[in-house]
């Protein structure tokens, strides 16, 4: 609708900016699920093995870097979600760090994240083309992969131990299975 923008009587249009998710056909609630999942995957992957604050900080940093790298994805969906997450939690390139979260019940939290991943996968299958959906699913698994591989578990004084523990591997594999079913 034309409106008077200045005292000279020139006519212009008011542009109402739509949220990014409307271009993909998602509701606010659906977008919230997709944007919340990358950080939830990061936290669940870090919680899969209780391995101390220092290692969890390394895992968080690796996960946040992988999330931030999604901004450069060829997938418009991944790039938009990654941009939204980074705008909310901070950019690792500017020194942002995530707080170390230790869930009271890591297993319940992991089950919740896997359930939400299944919901997101079903949502994507019904809303967008398979290339976009596949890129988002792959990105989530990559986040988990980077988190669980960021710090070895066990060993003495940081030497030795397993790069990826059985519980971390199990989470990553279950996530991949839920997303690709």
């Amino acid at each position: 609708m034309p409106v008077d923008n200045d005292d000279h009587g020139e006519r212009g249009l008011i542009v109402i900016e739509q949220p990014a998710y409307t271009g993909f056909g998602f509701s606010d609630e659906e977008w919230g699920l997709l944007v919340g999942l990358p950080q939830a995957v990061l936290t669940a992957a870090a919680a899969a093995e209780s391995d101390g604050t220092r290692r969890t900080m390394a895992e968080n940093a690796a996960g946040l870097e992988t999330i931030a790298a999604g901004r450069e994805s060829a997938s418009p969906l991944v790039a938009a979600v990654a941009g939204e997450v980074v705008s909310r939690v901070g950019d690792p390139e500017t020194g942002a760090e995530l707080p170390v979260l230790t869930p009271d019940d890591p297993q319940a939290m992991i089950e919740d994240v896997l359930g939400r991943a299944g919901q997101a996968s079903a949502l994507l299958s019904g809303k967008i083309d398979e290339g976009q959906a596949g890129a988002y699913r792959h990105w989530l698994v990559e986040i988990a992969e980077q988190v669980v591989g960021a710090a070895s578990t066990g060993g003495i004084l940081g030497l030795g131990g397993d790069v990826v523990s059985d519980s971390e591997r199990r989470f990553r594999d279950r996530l991949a299975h839920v997303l690709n079913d």
Side-chain angles (χ1 to χ4, degrees):
M1 162 170 258
V3 296
D4 212 349
N5 278 344
D6 59 30
D7 294 333
H8 298 93
E10 293 178 22
R11 306 292 257 175
L13 296 178
I14 294 176
V15 177
I16 299 172
E17 195 167 316
Q18 295 292 319
Y21 59 82
T22 58
F24 296 104
F26 296 116
S27 70
D28 187 46
E29 183 179 340
E30 292 166 338
W31 187 248
L33 172 66
L34 296 176
V35 169
L37 206 46
Q39 190 176 355
V41 165
L42 183 164
T43 304
E49 183 71 41
S50 176
D51 47 14
T53 302
R54 185 181 59 74
R55 289 184 177 122
T56 302
M57 286 176 67
E59 291 169 342
N60 281 353
L64 187 55
E65 287 174 17
T66 307
I67 290 170
R71 295 176 295 180
E72 304 300 321
S73 174
S75 163
L77 175 63
V78 171
V81 171
E84 180 90 13
V85 174
V86 169
S87 74
R88 292 179 183 189
V89 301
D91 190 338
E93 292 178 11
T94 62
E97 293 182 5
L98 295 175
V100 173
L101 302 175
T102 308
D104 292 334
D105 186 347
Q107 200 52 48
M109 187 246 198
I110 287 169
E111 294 304 321
D112 175 66
V113 170
L114 292 171
R116 288 191 285 152
Q119 291 173 342
S121 187
L123 169 67
L124 293 172
S125 293
K127 288 259 188 182
I128 61 175
D129 71 70
E130 189 49 43
Q132 293 289 326
Y136 180 84
R137 291 178 183 119
H138 176 78
W139 180 53
L140 291 179
V141 174
E142 181 64 20
I143 293 165
E145 183 74 33
Q146 292 302 313
V147 169
V148 301
S152 61
T153 300
I156 299 170
L157 300 174
L159 303 173
D162 297 321
V163 173
V164 180
S165 72
D166 289 340
S167 58
E168 290 170 327
R169 186 176 296 109
R170 195 168 31 255
F171 170 74
R172 180 202 57 212
D173 293 350
R174 288 181 66 202
L175 177 66
H177 179 75
V178 164
L179 289 170
N180 294 305
D181 242 3

